[in-house]
Amino acid sequence: MPRTITHQGPSSVPQSLPAAPPPIAPDDQGPLEKPSSLEKGITILASLSAAVQPMGLAELSRRTGLPKTTAYRLLGVLCAKGLAQRVGIDYAIGDRLATLAGPGPRMIPGTRPLVLPHMIRLYERTRQTVNLAVTRGLEIAYVERVYGHDRVSSPSDEVDRAPLHCTASGKVLLAFDHGLNSAFHDRGTLDRMTRRTIVGHAALDRELRMVRRRGVAYSREEFAEGVVCAAAPVFDGDGGVRMAVSVACPSRSAVSGEVTALVKHAAQAISATVVTALSAMTPRPRPDGPPASFL
């Protein structure tokens, strides 16, 4: 048993030494982040992730319920760590957040030099902006772009992200990826981006059935005013959709049958490239030992 050290004073009352230190107040915990600060930072990241375009400090404060001074201080930390980024005077999700999330749907490593010529050829034949998109959570992420001269600005220009339900590429990915479609249904509300945006799941489902039948999707000023788009799916060797290739035009140009045919042809050519690249990555057994990739 531990001994208690005492001394005899005038009152002969024993006293224990040393006295227990007072509890540390939450504000005295030193440089470590308070749990409340962590929760506030997560709230900010969630709001930025849900936004389809960069948000200003005032709007972010309104959506999160945080004072502007608190939001500004935490944004400084998030930007310094690469989890958020400045876009002009506004804020958006940082590139490092996708990296920390681990390997997600992106362009297949090593295929950029093979895919880009098809995109450039599509640009040369249409003279319009060509996009290559993959899913990133419940959004699309543009992993490659060839900009046309006669392009109209879009909310995705600075962040390279866009919603699924109101973009041609997003509709393609929803139409051919059952798991993604199911998860997107569970999300609930469809955000209205323009007066032409489809905001009902039943109407969107009808649109997606048409996409599966004709092999191409359209967005007619549903994401951004003045922009129309056609997209087609890029498949792998197992028939799974990997990406979507699209052409975006000013609405006055519309999307002609010729442009639609060119988009579908480019998607088929890129699909063949993807299948070849994935086949080359698959380890092949050697008759006299382990797979070649191990040697």
Side-chain angles (χ1 to χ4, degrees), residues 54-57 79 85-92 158-159:
M55 276 200 295
L57 181 62
C79 287
Q85 61 179 319
R86 292 292 298 268
V87 181
I89 61 173
D90 298 331
Y91 295 89
E158 297 291 344
V159 295

Side-chain angles (χ1 to χ4, degrees), residues 250-279:
S251 58
R252 64 180 183 275
S253 302
V255 178
S256 66
E258 181 183 3
V259 168
T260 297
L262 290 171
V263 171
K264 293 178 70 173
H265 183 270
Q268 293 166 359
I270 295 173
S271 294
T273 297
V274 167
V275 170
T276 301
L278 290 175
S279 176

Side-chain angles (χ1 to χ4, degrees), residues 3 7 35 43 49 67 76 90 102 104 151 176-177 180 183 196 213 248-249 268 271:
R3 295 190 304 162
H7 72 277
T43 300
S49 180
D90 298 331
R151 70 186 186 92
F176 292 98
D177 187 331
L180 177 66
R196 295 179 176 83
R213 283 201 303 269
C249 315
Q268 293 166 359
S271 294

Side-chain angles (χ1 to χ4, degrees), residues 119-128 130 147-149:
M119 296 182 63
I120 293 173
R121 179 170 176 77
L122 183 57
Y123 161 75
E124 289 173 342
R125 301 189 69 178
T126 63
R127 292 295 170 177
Q128 302 293 347
V130 178
Y147 286 107
H149 293 289

Side-chain angles (χ1 to χ4, degrees), residues 87-136:
V87 181
I89 61 173
D90 298 331
Y91 295 89
I93 284 293
D95 294 335
R96 193 180 179 203
L97 199 60
T99 303
L100 291 176
R106 297 178 178 85
M107 183 181 287
I108 300 168
T111 60
R112 185 173 187 266
L114 305 176
V115 170
L116 198 54
H118 296 294
M119 296 182 63
I120 293 173
R121 179 170 176 77
L122 183 57
Y123 161 75
E124 289 173 342
R125 301 189 69 178
T126 63
R127 292 295 170 177
Q128 302 293 347
T129 298
V130 178
N131 300 306
L132 191 69
V134 299
T135 56
R136 186 74 49 81

